[in-house]
């Protein structure tokens, strides 16, 4: 396919072609394509080392992983799960697919993650869990959420689709919560084309999660759980193994690009860049900015010039048809999320862009729009 001049919000990290072809040859020769093969198991081991975690189960995408996470916790049917509206549709959908009820709480303006006071207000006798999102890799207020969960006997699941290797004071973000999901979709910092993982602190969840990932089979003749097909195949695992080798180079390029953006955007008063708290590491997944004046105008102006920034996450999940009639979905319950979703814009952010002269076009177009 012919390459064009468009600059997208992201571009996938791709492994060296010859190394990928070699891995494909190995897979063809082995005649083992999926169902927890050699490459799958090696990838799981390598990822656990890279992320400094003990318990991980790979999945064929982040959404299936999150579906299985909620199922594994055996929450009472129809119970309420407090969640953020400022996320990708998958986060809310997995609550519904598990026969649970999403209850939206507002976010805080600084890091755009769940606001603690709003979570507290949303708790009822029917609340069973909190499904929080480390949005753009900004860590949630994990200690405060943990205290709430302890007080009310709730489970915590983190949607960490954006928080590959996010750490707080050097500790992996997955140390907090019962289960953390990672997404390895092509648009993510670390990708396996499609893919994902669950990380959990309690080893006893391993069998349950792995069974749920494989239709609920415990052995050849026993199905004890309503499982799904959540298995990551060998070709995807090969992409993961090779991408892991080049991940640190990708992160370095993204760090440089982030610095470039921050330095050049500082002179544009209509635009601000959210910051991480001290001790928190950036996941270098997205580069969100908050635009005070005419965000949609700026988005269109960039698009007319072949720069495809994205308004992640606008509209809010609470505005989508399946959810908009919920009491907690009403805009007066979600003033901060509503405001931020009208201001946020994710600028193109991927390693190769740092060495592309067109990164200057992005800055110049923003300046031109506000001139
Ligand atoms: N929770 C959260 C918080 C999430 O953000 C996501 C996914 C999930 C859960 C679910 O995880 P997964 O089940 O997906 O593992 C994209 C991604 O598909 C999605 O994974 C991601 N979040 C979401 C934020 O972004 P779209 O609909 O915006 O993708 P699309 O096709 O418009 O792609 C965005 C841009 O990326 C394109 O304009 C060009 C570029 N691109 C994309 C693909 C697929 C490429 O250059 N090459 C490619 O192969 O959802």
């Amino acid at each position: 396919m012919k390459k064009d001049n468009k600059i997208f919000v992201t571009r996938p990290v791709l492994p060296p072609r010859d190394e990928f072809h070699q891995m494909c040859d190995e897979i063809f020769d082995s005649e083992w394509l999926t169902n927890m093969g050699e490459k799958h198991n090696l990838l799981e081991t390598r990822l656990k080392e890279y992320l400094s975690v003990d318990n991980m189960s790979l999945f064929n995408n982040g959404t299936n992983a999150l579906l299985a996470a909620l199922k594994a916790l055996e929450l009472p049917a129809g119970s309420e799960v407090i969640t953020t509206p400022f996320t990708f549709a998958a986060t809310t959908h997995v609550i519904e697919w598990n026969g649970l009820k999403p209850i939206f709480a507002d976010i805080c303006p600084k890091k755009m993650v769940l606001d603690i006071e709003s979570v507290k207000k949303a708790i009822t006798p029917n609340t069973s869990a909190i499904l929080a999102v480390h949005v753009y890799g900004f860590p949630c207020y994990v200690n405060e959420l943990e205290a709430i969960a302890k007080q009310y006997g709730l489970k915590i699941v983190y949607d960490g689709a954006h928080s590959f290797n996010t750490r707080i004071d050097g500790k992996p973000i997955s140390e907090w919560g019962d289960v953390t999901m990672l997404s390895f979709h092509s648009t993510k910092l670390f990708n396996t084309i499609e893919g994902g993982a669950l990380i959990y602190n309690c080893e006893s969840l391993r069998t349950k999660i792995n069974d749920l990932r494989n239709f609920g089979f415990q052995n050849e003749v026993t199905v004890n759980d309503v499982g799904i097909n959540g298995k990551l195949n060998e070709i995807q695992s090969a992409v993961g193994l090779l991408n892991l080798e080049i991940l640190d180079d990708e992160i370095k390029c993204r760090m440089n690009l982030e610095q470039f953006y921050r330095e050049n955007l500082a002179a544009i008063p209509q635009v601000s860049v959210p910051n991480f708290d001290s001790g928190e590491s950036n996941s270098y997944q997205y580069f969100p900015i908050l635009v005070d004046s005419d965000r949609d105008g700026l988005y269109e102006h960039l698009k007319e010039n072949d720069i495809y920034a994205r308004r992640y996450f606008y509209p809010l999940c609470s505005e989508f048809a399946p959810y908009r009639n919920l009491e907690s979905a009403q805009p007066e319950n979600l003033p901060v999320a509503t405001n931020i979703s009208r201001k946020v814009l994710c600028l193109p952010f991927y390693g190769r862009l740092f060495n592309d002269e067109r990164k200057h076009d992005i800055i110049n177009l923003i300046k031109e729009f506000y001139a």
Side-chain angles (χ1 to χ4, degrees):
M1 200 162 66
K2 200 174 145 279
K3 286 202 172 176
D4 55 31
N5 217 26
K6 291 175 179 163
I7 296 187
F8 294 109
V9 68
T10 191
R11 303 266 50 194
V13 176
L14 287 164
R17 241 177 244 243
D18 52 340
E19 291 179 31
F20 177 60
H21 290 161
Q22 197 186 322
M23 283 242 187
C24 286
D25 285 343
E26 286 169 22
I27 293 165
F28 270 61
D29 290 344
S30 76
E31 296 184 46
W32 194 274
L33 305 183
T34 185
N35 289 10
M36 283 63 81
E38 197 184 301
K39 301 231 178 306
H40 167 282
N41 295 341
L42 185 59
L43 178 62
E44 203 169 89
T45 304
R46 295 257 165 92
L47 280 172
K48 285 200 289 191
E49 280 163 15
Y50 190 89
L51 300 174
S52 332
V53 302
D54 293 328
N55 302 306
M56 172 186 284
S57 299
L58 296 180
F59 275 79
N60 52 10
N61 59 60
T63 306
N64 278 341
L66 210 48
L67 274 175
L70 284 185
K71 185 88 178 156
L73 295 176
E74 299 180 343
L75 305 172
S79 63
E80 296 172 358
V81 178
I82 298 172
T83 193
T84 169
F86 191 66
T87 181
F88 194 58
T91 316
T92 322
H93 289 343
V94 298
I95 300 174
E96 279 283 339
W97 271 66
N98 268 284
L100 303 162
K101 188 174 174 200
I103 302 289
F104 295 109
D106 207 2
I107 58 172
C108 72
K110 189 167 177 281
K111 294 201 292 176
M112 298 167 279
V113 295
L114 274 176
D115 173 70
I116 294 301
E117 289 311 310
S118 188
V119 169
K120 283 184 188 165
K121 275 194 218 142
I123 293 172
T124 74
N126 291 328
T127 308
S128 61
I130 299 169
L131 173 47
V133 181
H134 303 301
V135 72
Y136 315 125
F138 286 110
C140 291
Y141 293 102
V142 287
N143 293 320
E144 290 81 350
L145 287 178
E146 199 163 282
I148 293 174
K150 213 169 169 186
Q151 186 180 351
Y152 293 93
L154 310 177
K155 300 286 186 193
I156 303 184
V157 176
Y158 284 112
D159 176 336
H162 309 165
S163 59
F164 187 85
N165 207 18
T166 293
R167 290 173 188 251
I168 302 178
D169 296 329
K171 286 189 201 158
I173 191 77
S174 54
E175 283 203 7
W176 288 269
D178 294 281
V179 189
T180 298
M181 176 276 264
L182 302 179
S183 165
F184 306 149
H185 183 262
S186 311
T187 54
K188 298 298 188 290
L189 170 72
F190 169 76
N191 88 78
T192 58
I193 305 179
E194 292 268 3
L198 292 181
I199 304 174
Y200 33 94
N201 294 310
C202 180
E203 219 201 314
S204 62
L205 275 177
R206 181 195 307 278
T207 310
K208 178 91 180 163
I209 285 173
N210 288 350
D211 288 353
L212 284 171
R213 176 178 70 177
N214 188 27
F215 312 98
F217 274 106
Q218 277 195 325
N219 56 45
E220 271 184 42
V221 291
T222 317
V223 170
N224 276 345
D225 237 321
V226 185
I228 50 175
N229 181 351
K231 293 171 275 115
L232 188 75
N233 69 47
E234 288 294 276
I235 300 280
Q236 290 171 304
S237 302
V239 171
L241 284 168
L242 295 171
N243 275 346
L244 201 53
E245 304 269 314
I246 52 176
L247 182 63
D248 290 343
D249 293 337
E250 173 68 17
I251 292 173
K252 271 184 213 138
C253 289
R254 290 187 186 207
M255 286 168 91
N256 290 335
L257 182 61
E258 203 224 359
Q259 202 180 341
F260 166 83
Y261 271 142
R262 279 186 183 272
E263 282 169 11
N264 286 282
L265 292 171
I268 309 175
Q270 290 84 354
V271 160
S272 61
V273 182
N275 289 306
F276 284 78
D277 280 341
S278 79
E280 295 176 349
S281 65
N282 190 337
S283 66
Y284 297 102
Q285 173 57 64
Y286 291 106
F287 188 83
I289 58 171
L290 295 172
V291 182
D292 274 337
S293 160
D294 195 7
R295 186 271 315 263
D296 289 344
L298 176 61
Y299 164 80
E300 293 297 339
H301 180 63
L302 291 171
K303 203 159 135 183
E304 279 155 20
N305 289 280
D306 273 347
I307 310 288
Y308 292 81
R310 289 295 287 265
R311 290 167 292 185
Y312 295 134
F313 290 100
Y314 166 83
L316 296 171
C317 287
S318 49
E319 294 174 281
F320 291 139
Y323 309 113
R324 68 168 70 115
N325 293 326
L326 293 176
E327 204 183 317
S328 66
Q330 303 316 303
E332 53 276 18
N333 186 47
L334 308 166
V336 179
T338 305
N339 183 33
I340 297 233
S341 73
R342 270 76 180 156
K343 287 184 170 180
V344 76
L345 192 64
C346 288
L347 294 184
F349 195 61
Y350 50 95
R352 275 170 285 155
L353 186 56
F354 180 67
N355 295 317
D356 188 329
E357 280 308 299
R358 288 177 301 169
K359 68 179 185 283
H360 296 285
D361 295 349
I362 300 172
I363 300 294
N364 292 337
L365 285 164
I366 300 175
K367 285 186 178 160
E368 181 184 285
F369 184 71
Y370 289 115

